[in-house]
Amino acid sequence: MKQGNKTVLSLLITVVILAAMFSGFGIGFFASDTPQVVLPTGVPPQDAEPDQGNAQEAGGGLRVEVTPATVQSVIATLKRPESYYREIVLETFWEGGRSETSTAQVWVEGEYTRIDTILPEGTIEHTMIGDGYRYRWYNNDRKYFKTGASANDADLIQRIPTYETILNIDPATITATGYEEKGGLPCIYVEVNQEELGYRERYWVSVEWGLLAASETVKGTETVLRTSAYSVEIPVREGAAFLLPDGTSLYEG
């Protein structure tokens, strides 16, 4: 065999060996060279044949199956919209069958957030966050309170769990995962066992919007807290959403 042909053959063998290494070791070992993760836009029917391993999508993306070992990496690929409006329903359940329901309208524009919450007794709580401050007033009051704001205030005031906390928890506490449909939306489902508190947290995160679509807090067999937000308007409509009650504009797009 001529020397040139031997060189070509050696190169081909090297390529084959490298390809086998990539397919055998998976996406975790060579993370910097992996293709883009592609999330499903729909939930497969119950009688469909399950995927065997990771399925390659059109365009070079890699469909990653959600397991307790991979769910944190999958959720890390999600990103919330920069501008959106949605409504959130929060249900709280008490012993003896009692329950309370509150609703919130939420406008987000970059780092600015406005939350109008109708509390169970009918009071409307208005909160705006931006420029490192939190502004709050009630009903049709013309005066407002101004205080410093923390990084998590926007989520805490909406009274919803922040699903990004999943990224920082011990994977051993994740008890169930998968792709599920919730409220008509394809979602990533995660269940976390908070053993020290006796609770289980369930999250459904929209793969389309990167927003929490629903959540449940369960103690034993009883649901104690449930949130849902199945519709999102992107982007926020132009208007007076970020006006303080004295007419001051907190944000001018």
Side-chain angles (χ1 to χ4, degrees):
M1 182 179 292
K2 295 182 179 180
Q3 183 63 34
N5 291 337
K6 290 182 179 180
T7 301
V8 172
L9 181 59
S10 298
L11 289 174
L12 288 175
I13 292 173
T14 301
V15 169
V16 171
I17 292 173
L18 288 174
M21 289 173 62
F22 272 90
S23 62
F25 288 178
I27 64 172
F29 193 80
F30 297 97
S32 61
D33 295 323
T34 57
Q36 180 184 5
V37 171
V38 174
L39 300 177
T41 56
V43 177
Q46 295 297 321
D47 57 352
E49 289 294 327
D51 291 338
Q52 300 298 322
N54 297 327
Q56 194 77 19
E57 299 283 353
L62 192 65
R63 162 73 180 275
V64 177
E65 297 306 308
V66 177
T67 68
T70 65
V71 68
Q72 289 170 309
S73 297
V74 174
I75 287 180
T77 68
L78 301 178
K79 184 179 180 180
R80 302 191 194 191
E82 287 292 318
S83 175
Y84 64 90
Y85 165 81
R86 65 173 175 167
E87 296 182 5
I88 300 171
V89 177
L90 174 67
E91 301 172 90
T92 305
F93 302 90
W94 308 97
E95 291 184 5
R98 295 186 302 111
S99 65
E100 290 182 348
T101 300
S102 62
T103 60
Q105 295 176 291
V106 181
W107 295 261
V108 174
E109 188 68 65
E111 297 180 358
Y112 296 85
T113 302
R114 172 168 176 163
I115 305 118
D116 288 355
T117 304
I118 303 176
L119 302 174
E121 68 273 15
T123 300
I124 302 177
E125 178 186 82
H126 307 276
T127 307
M128 282 204 290
I129 299 171
D131 296 329
Y133 292 99
R134 180 177 65 193
Y135 306 81
R136 176 168 289 169
W137 68 100
Y138 295 89
N139 296 326
N140 296 318
D141 291 348
R142 303 296 295 175
K143 294 182 179 180
Y144 57 86
F145 305 95
K146 179 181 177 181
T147 60
S150 66
N152 297 326
D153 271 6
D155 283 335
L156 294 174
I157 293 168
Q158 294 175 56
R159 298 171 173 84
I160 61 173
T162 304
Y163 75 81
E164 285 90 347
T165 58
I166 297 170
L167 301 178
N168 301 318
I169 65 174
D170 182 353
T173 64
I174 299 175
T175 56
T177 59
Y179 290 117
E180 289 189 5
E181 186 173 288
K182 188 72 169 178
L185 302 174
C187 295
I188 298 170
Y189 171 70
V190 188
E191 181 177 302
V192 178
N193 184 25
Q194 302 286 358
E195 187 173 354
E196 66 280 5
L197 300 176
Y199 291 99
R200 284 176 292 138
E201 299 283 352
R202 297 170 177 167
Y203 303 86
W204 289 265
V205 185
S206 167
V207 299
E208 179 180 359
W209 302 320
L211 294 168
L212 184 74
S215 68
E216 291 180 352
T217 301
V218 179
K219 186 172 185 179
T221 60
E222 301 294 327
T223 300
V224 297
L225 185 67
R226 178 187 296 142
T227 63
S228 59
Y230 298 135
S231 62
V232 177
E233 182 180 311
I234 302 174
V236 170
R237 295 182 186 180
E238 294 183 8
F242 296 97
L243 285 179
L244 293 170
D246 63 0
T248 301
S249 177
L250 185 65
Y251 170 81
E252 296 181 3

